[in-house]
Amino acid sequence: MILRLSTFLAAMAGLGLVNAQQQQQQQQPQLQRSTEVDGDAANNNNSRMLLHRKKRSLQKKDQRKLQSSQCNTIIAIDAISEVYDDSQTGPDEEFLCELDYGVTLPIQGTKEQLDQLRAMLHDGTLVSYESTLEVLQEVVVAESMMDETTGEEVQQPPFASLLQGGSVSLPPGDVTIINNSSDNGGRRRLNYKTQYEGQIKVLAVKVTDKNGLAVDQNARTISDKIFGTYGDSITPKSGMNDCSFGKFVMTYDYDNVDDSKLSAPGVVEVTIDLDLVKATQSEIRAYTTAAVEKKLGVSLPGEFQHVLYITEDCYNPEGMGSCGWAAYAYVGSWMSLYKRDHFLKPGVVQHEVGHNLRFAHSGGLDGRTYTDHTGLMGNPLWGDNQGKMCFNAPKNYQLAKAYGAWYSKGPGTIMDWDSGEDGGTSFTATMVGVAEFNKIKDDNPIVIKLETGDKTDYFIEFNRAIGPTSQEKQAQDKVTLYSAGNNGLAYATSQLLSILGQGDTYKFSKWRGTKLDLTVSVLEINTNAVPGYARVKVVFGEEQAPKTPNPTNRPTPNPVQPTPNPPQPTPPQPTPPTPGSKCGDGICGNNETSESCPNDCTIVDIKPNASNGKSDTKTGGLMFTVESSQAISMASIGVEGAKDKESECSVYYKDGDYEGVELDEKAWNLAFEGDVDMKKGESTSITLDTTVPIAAGRKASLFVTCKNGLMVSSNTGNAGTRSADATVTVYDGINIKKAFNKMDKSNGRQNAPMSYYKSTNKRMIEESPIESDYLVSVDDDDEVV
C-alpha cells in the first residue's frame, strides 16, 4: 500500500493515534516544541500535532508503529545567536535523542517537561552524552521511497527510516533520567571521552548539498582559518593554545586517516544527497556523518575530539526552533555545526568547542544569556581577526577542579575559601590574571571560589587584559565577580555580578543566611608589575585582625575556625636586574639615563637615511618596528609637522611586531602623551616619559600619532629598512589614518631622528637587559618575560 505522508499525519493528533477530541477527553497534557512558540497560536490549536514534519515530495512504501524505546544517550545542544547584540536573550538548551547509526532527533514534550530537563542539566542530574531516558518513538519501516514525479523507487540508507518520524516524545508525567552507564547505548559513548589536554585532533567538514549549495570558502581557506595552516595568526587553534599555555593543541596530525582523502590539512569535503533548503537539521547531521564515515573509512567520532560541520545556511528550523543561530554544538560531545561564514570567527568556534568541553553559557550584568563579555562563553569576539579572549573564572575553576586541566598544577593556584557561619573571618589575596598565569612566582590565585554551602557559589578573578586576553571588550584590568551552580564542577550557566576597580567594594547581604554581610574589596590594582596583580580582601562580618583563617586550596565541609597570624600572599615583584641594579655598574638599567647615570648609559642618535628624499606624505600616525642586536632602550623620537602648530601627540610601544593589533589600543603601552610644538618641514624631538626597552636580538613596535597630523615619506616597499647602525635597525611601517580606529592603505617611513640608551660596559651589554618600568629578559624559549 502506498500512503502519502500528509494523509497519514492528518489522521494523527498525538502519540496515542487518537483525534484531538479524544485527547481532550482523556485530559492528556498537550505537547509542544522545545522552543518558544506564539502563545495564541498554541492555545487556539488544540489539534496541533506533536510531531512536526515537513512536506515531502516522496511517497513511501512503509509500515508505521508507535513504540517505547530508550535513547542511546541524551545530547544537550547549545547555540550561539547569529546577531552580536546584547538584546538577544539566547535560546534555551535543546535536547536530542541519539538512536542507532548516530541519528539524533529532537525530544518533544510539554513546557514543564522541557524545563525539568533543563533544570536537571544544570543541577547535574542529567549529564549530556551520558544520561538516557525512555521516549515514545514512531517507527517507520521502509526499505524504499517512490518519487512522485518519476514513479521510480528510491533506495534509502539504513538510517533513513529513523528520520521519518521527525522527533521523539516524552511520555506523560515527570521526566525520569537513567544514569546507569551499562544501559543501552554504552557502545557509542565509550568510543568518546572528552580530552582537555594534549594533542587535540580536530576535523573540519565542508558540506555541499545535492544542488551544489556550500560555503564560498575553499578547503585551504578553511584550514588556514581553523588551524593557521597558511599563516593566519588569530585562529581557534592559536586561541586555545594561548589560553591553555600550550596544553590544548588543536591538530590535524591524524593516525588513521588517509591524507589523500582530505582536501586540505584538517579539512574533508563531502556531498550529501539532500536539499539543504528542505532538509531538517537532524537529516543534515545524519547524512553528513554518513558521508564522512564513508569517505574516510571511520566511525565518528573515531580519533577526532572535535568535528566541525560547515554548511551553507539554515533554511528549515525543524529541531532547532529557528534559524537565528550562527552555530550550535553538542554539550560534552564531539560535533558542532556552523552556517554561512561564522566558522571564520575564532571566538565563535572557541565558544562551540567550549560547549563540547561541557561549558554552559555566561550571562552578563543585565541577566541576559550572552552579555558577559569577559569570557568566551558569553557573546564572544565577533570577527575574523578577533580571538584574544579566554574563559571566565567559573569555567577556569571547572577546568582545573573538575577535569584537572590547564591551571590545576600551578604555578598559580585555584583557591577555595569557606567563611564559616559565625563571622569574624577574612583574608587578603594577591591575584594574578589568567593571561599571565605562566609568569606567577608566588602561588598567587587566579580564581578564588567563595563557598556558600549550597550548589551556587561565587568566583573572583582579576581580568588582566594582556596577551591571550588583550581583545576582551569588558572589565579590562578590573576584578570581576561571578556566580555559578553545580559547585563550579559541572555544566552550569555563570552570571557576571560585578566589575570592581581599585577602591571598589561589593557586599553580599545576609551571607549564608546569617545576619552578617560579606564584602569583597579591591585594595590595589597594579598593571605595571610583571605579572600585573590585584590585591583583594574578603571580610565576613566584623573583621578581627589577629584571627584570619588561612585560605585553603579545597572546599572544607565544615566552618573553618579562625587561626592567628596567617601568612599573607605578597604582590609579585619584578625580578631584580643582575647586574645593572645600581648606578655605577656599567649597565644602563632600572630606567637609568645618560643624564641620571652617565657612567652607565650612553645615548646614541639614529639619523635620517631616507632613500627617496624629504617627507612627502601627511598621516595621522606611523606604526613601525625597531630591532636591536643588543639590549637598549629608546629615549626619544622625532616628529615632523604638517604645519607650524602645537599638536597633541602620543607615543605607544609594544614588544614584538604590531601585525594583528594595529587597531587594538589595549595591546600597547603608553610612552608619551602631551602637546608638542610642531614645525612644518622640521623635526621636533619628543623625549619619552617611559623609555622603551628592547632586549638583545628582539624587536619592538612604536606608534607615534599627532592630532594635527605628521609628515613621513612614502617608501618603495613593505617593511623595508629605513636606517641602521651597528646596533639598531629601523623598518618601514604603515600609516594610521586615525589612532586605533582606521588604517591607511599606504606604507610610511620615519625620517625624523631618534635616540636610544645603551650600556657603557661593553663586556656586559650582550648579557644584560634594559629596564624601563619593568625588567625585560628572555627565557630559554626566546620569550620575553
Side-chain angles (χ1 to χ4, degrees), residues 704-729:
V704 55
T705 177
C706 296
K707 283 194 173 180
N708 291 335
L710 53 92
M711 297 298 293
V712 299
S713 68
S714 57
N715 59 64
T716 56
N718 186 21
T721 302
R722 197 281 291 179
S723 60
D725 60 18
T727 303
V728 172
T729 301

Side-chain angles (χ1 to χ4, degrees), residues 439-452:
K439 295 181 172 65
I440 294 174
K441 298 181 177 65
D442 297 317
D443 291 330
N444 306 89
I446 62 168
V447 177
I448 298 173
K449 173 185 170 183
L450 304 178
E451 178 64 48
T452 65

Side-chain angles (χ1 to χ4, degrees), residues 38-308:
D38 181 87
D40 291 336
N43 293 331
N44 293 337
N45 185 9
N46 289 329
S47 62
R48 176 176 178 152
M49 289 179 295
L50 170 65
L51 303 179
H52 296 254
R53 307 174 181 85
K54 66 184 186 309
K55 293 182 179 180
R56 304 179 186 274
S57 62
L58 297 177
Q59 295 178 333
K60 303 174 184 62
K61 293 181 176 181
D62 57 25
Q63 295 179 345
R64 296 171 180 269
K65 60 180 180 178
L66 188 70
Q67 67 179 31
S68 174
S69 60
Q70 188 179 106
C71 301
N72 288 348
T73 187
I74 310 167
I75 301 174
I77 52 175
D78 261 323
I80 182 170
S81 174
E82 185 176 20
V83 180
Y84 185 79
D85 183 355
D86 280 353
S87 66
Q88 299 291 317
T89 58
D92 292 323
E93 297 93 351
E94 303 277 348
F95 296 92
L96 302 176
C97 172
E98 186 188 56
L99 305 170
D100 292 338
Y101 305 104
V103 169
T104 52
L105 295 179
I107 297 176
Q108 310 286 354
T110 65
K111 181 181 184 303
E112 291 73 19
Q113 287 177 317
L114 295 167
D115 287 344
Q116 189 178 0
L117 278 178
R118 292 180 185 115
M120 289 176 170
L121 178 67
H122 283 267
D123 70 14
T125 303
L126 188 163
V127 181
S128 179
Y129 212 63
E130 291 184 14
S131 302
T132 185
L133 48 62
E134 295 285 341
V135 294
L136 296 174
Q137 178 188 0
E138 182 189 351
V139 179
V140 181
V141 182
E143 296 180 355
S144 65
M145 301 176 74
M146 179 174 291
D147 191 303
E148 291 181 335
T149 304
T150 65
E152 297 178 355
E153 288 190 357
V154 180
Q155 291 300 122
Q156 294 297 294
F159 57 81
S161 62
L162 296 175
L163 293 166
Q164 302 308 315
S167 62
V168 298
S169 298
L170 297 169
D174 289 339
V175 177
T176 301
I177 297 296
I178 302 170
N179 282 316
N180 187 343
S181 61
S182 64
D183 284 331
N184 183 37
R187 172 191 60 79
R188 194 170 186 90
R189 295 198 304 280
L190 291 176
N191 288 336
Y192 179 84
K193 182 178 180 180
T194 308
Q195 184 178 339
Y196 292 89
E197 291 186 352
Q199 297 293 304
I200 310 298
K201 296 174 184 177
V202 177
L203 177 69
V205 182
K206 179 178 179 180
V207 180
T208 302
D209 83 342
K210 67 180 182 179
N211 298 316
L213 282 179
V215 294
D216 293 334
Q217 293 76 15
N218 61 28
R220 281 178 59 90
T221 299
I222 294 172
S223 180
D224 192 34
K225 294 301 180 181
I226 301 297
F227 302 101
T229 311
Y230 305 105
D232 197 320
S233 60
I234 300 180
T235 64
K237 177 178 179 177
S238 67
M240 298 297 282
N241 179 79
D242 292 348
C243 290
S244 68
F245 295 92
K247 294 180 180 178
F248 189 101
V249 182
M250 295 171 64
T251 182
Y252 48 71
D253 185 14
Y254 311 134
D255 295 326
N256 303 306
V257 173
D258 182 351
D259 288 344
S260 67
K261 302 293 181 64
L262 302 176
S263 300
V267 182
V268 64
E269 297 181 273
V270 298
T271 299
I272 58 176
D273 189 24
L274 283 178
D275 182 348
L276 281 183
V277 176
K278 299 178 180 179
T280 66
Q281 288 298 305
S282 294
E283 290 172 327
I284 292 169
R285 293 190 300 265
Y287 276 78
T288 300
T289 299
V292 173
E293 291 181 339
K294 181 178 180 180
K295 186 167 187 176
L296 299 184
V298 300
S299 178
L300 291 179
E303 63 182 297
F304 309 115
Q305 277 290 307
H306 305 278
V307 182
L308 288 57

Side-chain angles (χ1 to χ4, degrees), residues 749-760:
R749 175 170 292 171
Q750 168 75 10
N751 281 331
M754 298 185 292
S755 65
Y756 62 89
Y757 296 116
K758 71 175 183 179
S759 299
T760 58

